[in-house]
Amino acid sequence: RPMGRARCSDLSVGGMYLESMQPVERDAVVRLSFKLEAGGRVLEMKARVVYTDPGVGYGVDFSDAPRDVRAAIHQHIQKIVAGESP
């Protein structure tokens, strides 16, 4: 079932926190599709919900994400840490 849109408020190579009013159960597997920057490529993966804040959002784990997706996230974070505009 489609989850709709959510806003990412925290991102790491290991996972992300998504702000969403949509109820999600812990241990659910969700399909994610997102861009790290405007005009960038769309990254797609499945992630497992590791915790929920009902009515606020949920955290997902990227353990099973494809290697190229994890590498793109790592590179994006390194640009931010280095002070470069992503």
Side-chain angles (χ1 to χ4, degrees), residues 6-56:
R7 180 181 182 274
C8 173
S9 61
D10 189 17
L11 173 69
S12 73
V13 175
M16 72 169 55
Y17 186 82
L18 296 162
E19 296 175 3
S20 173
M21 299 291 289
Q22 179 77 29
V24 180
E25 292 188 24
R26 188 166 186 249
D27 292 323
V29 175
V30 294
R31 180 179 297 274
L32 303 176
S33 177
F34 61 95
K35 293 181 182 182
L36 294 170
E37 55 192 69
R41 83 172 217 231
V42 175
L43 303 177
E44 296 183 316
M45 74 173 99
K46 290 181 181 177
R48 187 174 59 84
V49 176
V50 291
Y51 64 90
T52 64
D53 294 321
V56 179

Side-chain angles (χ1 to χ4, degrees), residues 35-85:
K35 293 181 182 182
L36 294 170
E37 55 192 69
R41 83 172 217 231
V42 175
L43 303 177
E44 296 183 316
M45 74 173 99
K46 290 181 181 177
R48 187 174 59 84
V49 176
V50 291
Y51 64 90
T52 64
D53 294 321
V56 179
Y58 54 97
V60 298
D61 176 74
F62 290 164
S63 294
D64 296 328
R67 184 181 310 246
D68 66 315
V69 171
R70 290 176 64 100
I73 293 168
H74 177 75
Q75 186 176 33
H76 178 75
I77 292 170
Q78 291 304 312
K79 285 181 182 178
I80 292 170
V81 170
E84 299 175 24
S85 247

